[in-house]
Amino acid sequence: MPIRAPYAAGHMDTVTVVAIGVAVVALVVAAIALTARNRYAAAVDATLTRIGPAEGDGGRGARVLRLAEALDELERSLARAQRTRAQLAGALEAAEIGILITDDRGEVTFSNESARRYLGARHGEAVAEVRIREAIDEAVLGRAPVEREEELFTPRRRVLKLLAVPLEFGVESAGAVAYIIDVTEERRVEAMRRDFIANVSHELKTPLGALAVLAETLAANIEDPAIALRFADRLAGEATRLSKLLEDILDLSQAEARSAAFEPVPFERVVGDVSTGLFERAEERGVELVLHPVPAEAVVEGDRRQLRSLVHNIVDNAIKYSEPERGDPAPRVEVRVVAESDVVVLEVADQGIGIPDGHLDRIFERFYRVDRARSRATGGTGLGLSIVRHVTLNHGGTVAVDSRHGEGTTFTVRLPRSEAR
């Protein structure tokens, strides 16, 4: 029986095909490697030729050594450049302001975290991205810096300051860099300052105008003792009101400046300093003032003058808005101070007219009054609770209010307890 070949002529088994494929790949790789080797060798020879013969023996070994040293120095320079680039990139990434760099085609080549929030965003931030790109285009086309402010009406109104600066490489455009700065707080403070100046001017005009009119009337009726006495009393009242307004303005300015030197202050002394004046005020208003004993361990790290102002204003406010009714017991204002493990708690509770819900969010604003007529009648300046809030914040504390209209109000101030106790 004739012996047959395992496969028909013209066919190869799988092993043979794989072996041939491997051989071809190996040959190709070897050819590529040889070509690359020859190219690198030619480059090295050209470099050595440019370096020139070594001094002394003129051997290639010395020239190779010099080339190696040059390559080492180049590698060190590249490493230093990479470190510097990493430092700059880290600094830009950590910057609070947004930084965005584009190339000459307007493509973003770099953006830090503060700027990325406006890229591909929605709603208000999407409007910011459009305005940023418009400022960049204007800066590139005009070859001059462009500065503008934009308002974003997100859930919280924000104001952005945009500064786009063109980048140039010789006479050609290299893109632009945009700086995005959130100036919301700055604009809010500026608005508050303008409002404060306007309110102060208005508040000062009233007593000053009254003083002028009363003085003129008094001068015209100086020969009538009864009229003179009445207008003299009113003059004294307006002068007192003006003095109280100026004193509150100074207290508020000091609280906002946050420049006081803090020290351990026993709260017992603070309450004692203002108690005499508060008792007199309560007696004038027909209010029962109850000052509970202050524990000796209630010590706060703070400014004694500011703390006195805090206690006086918060208790005086409670007395002012407690309305005595004929035939009923005198309304009570209670003051408690409690020393907890890490805080000192001041609680002032009254049985007064209370605060309507719609006013609770605004009572700490400067010159804000729930009832302007009542505030003027009681000699209020509209700054007392604003002083309370600022002094509390200065001392790292919190102030809360719980009120029921027609039933009374409780203010609770929590201040960090001093470690020096």
Side-chain angles (χ1 to χ4, degrees):
M1 180 181 295
I3 300 175
R4 297 179 180 270
Y7 296 96
H11 294 277
M12 293 179 289
D13 61 10
T14 303
V15 176
T16 305
V17 173
V18 172
I20 294 174
V22 171
V24 171
V25 171
L27 289 173
V28 171
V29 171
I32 293 174
L34 180 61
T35 302
R37 178 181 178 280
N38 291 336
R39 185 169 64 251
Y40 294 147
V44 170
D45 287 339
T47 302
L48 292 175
T49 301
R50 287 197 298 271
I51 293 175
E55 298 179 358
D57 60 2
R60 175 169 290 193
R63 286 186 290 166
V64 170
L65 181 60
R66 292 174 61 189
L67 176 61
E69 292 174 351
L71 291 175
D72 288 342
E73 179 59 30
L74 177 60
E75 185 176 354
R76 287 192 293 269
S77 298
L78 290 175
R80 287 194 296 269
Q82 289 176 344
R83 284 196 299 270
T84 302
R85 180 180 179 183
Q87 290 174 340
L88 292 175
L92 294 177
E93 185 69 25
E96 293 185 1
I97 66 173
I99 301 174
L100 185 146
I101 302 175
T102 65
D103 59 18
D104 57 342
R105 295 174 299 177
E107 299 293 331
V108 177
T109 58
F110 173 84
S111 61
N112 65 354
E113 182 178 358
S114 297
R116 283 193 292 273
R117 71 183 66 174
Y118 304 108
L119 301 180
R122 296 184 300 172
H123 308 304
E125 284 79 4
V127 174
E129 181 179 3
V130 173
R131 297 293 181 264
I132 293 168
R133 292 190 177 276
E134 289 177 351
I136 290 175
D137 292 342
E138 185 177 342
V140 172
L141 292 175
R143 294 203 168 187
V146 173
E147 183 176 344
R148 62 180 56 162
E149 285 193 5
E150 298 291 340
E151 291 189 30
L152 302 184
F153 295 96
T154 52
R156 181 177 70 89
R157 176 181 172 275
R158 296 161 63 194
V159 182
L160 297 182
K161 180 178 180 180
L162 308 179
L163 174 61
V165 180
L167 302 176
E168 297 180 353
F169 183 73
V171 296
E172 297 181 357
S173 171
V177 55
Y179 303 98
I180 310 156
I181 309 168
D182 192 328
V183 294
T184 305
E185 184 64 18
E186 293 178 24
R187 298 298 175 261
R188 186 186 71 83
V189 172
E190 289 174 2
M192 288 179 60
R193 186 179 294 111
R194 289 193 300 269
D195 292 343
F196 180 69
I197 293 173
N199 286 325
V200 167
S201 301
H202 176 75
E203 294 292 333
L204 288 175
K205 282 181 180 179
T206 303
L208 287 175
L211 287 172
V213 172
L214 289 171
E216 292 176 3
T217 307
L218 179 61
N221 296 274
I222 193 67
E223 296 180 358
D224 188 331
I227 295 179
L229 181 60
R230 188 174 72 216
F231 281 103
D233 288 341
R234 292 185 61 184
L235 276 170
E238 291 297 333
T240 301
R241 177 183 172 188
L242 183 59
S243 176
K244 180 66 169 63
L245 175 60
L246 295 175
E247 182 181 346
D248 282 353
I249 290 174
L250 291 174
D251 286 344
L252 182 60
S253 298
Q254 185 194 44
E256 289 181 335
R258 302 186 180 185
S259 58
F262 284 5
E263 61 181 357
V265 179
F267 229 79
E268 184 178 13
R269 295 183 185 177
V270 173
V271 174
D273 290 342
V274 299
S275 60
T276 301
L278 290 173
F279 275 116
E280 293 176 354
R281 176 73 165 154
E283 186 177 357
E284 292 173 1
R285 293 283 302 163
V287 175
E288 180 186 1
L289 177 60
V290 180
L291 299 180
H292 293 276
V294 179
E297 58 270 22
V299 180
V300 173
E301 191 78 21
D303 179 83
R304 186 168 176 175
R305 183 177 184 276
Q306 288 191 21
L307 292 172
R308 284 201 306 263
S309 179
L310 181 150
V311 174
H312 179 274
N313 278 287
I314 202 169
V315 178
D316 181 68
N317 187 79
I319 295 172
K320 186 187 307 177
Y321 289 94
S322 294
E323 187 68 43
E325 297 288 344
R326 291 184 179 180
D328 292 339
R332 175 179 293 188
V333 172
E334 295 189 65
V335 180
R336 287 186 176 86
V337 178
V338 179
E340 297 182 355
S341 59
D342 56 349
V343 295
V344 172
V345 182
L346 167 66
E347 184 180 275
V348 180
D350 66 57
Q351 299 172 338
I353 61 175
I355 304 171
D357 291 342
H359 296 272
L360 285 174
D361 293 338
R362 302 194 60 188
I363 59 173
F364 293 104
E365 295 179 11
R366 291 175 290 189
F367 294 110
Y368 186 81
R369 299 177 177 94
V370 176
D371 186 342
R372 287 187 172 273
R374 182 186 183 90
S375 179
R376 292 186 183 279
T378 56
T381 64
L383 294 176
L385 291 181
S386 183
I387 293 172
V388 168
R389 179 173 69 94
H390 278 89
V391 171
T392 301
L393 293 177
N394 284 356
H395 290 74
T398 60
V399 57
V401 57
D402 180 27
S403 183
R404 295 184 180 180
H405 189 44
E407 297 183 17
T409 303
T410 299
F411 284 89
T412 305
V413 177
R414 304 173 71 87
L415 301 173
R417 190 177 172 192
S418 174
E419 297 180 357
R421 53 181 184 265

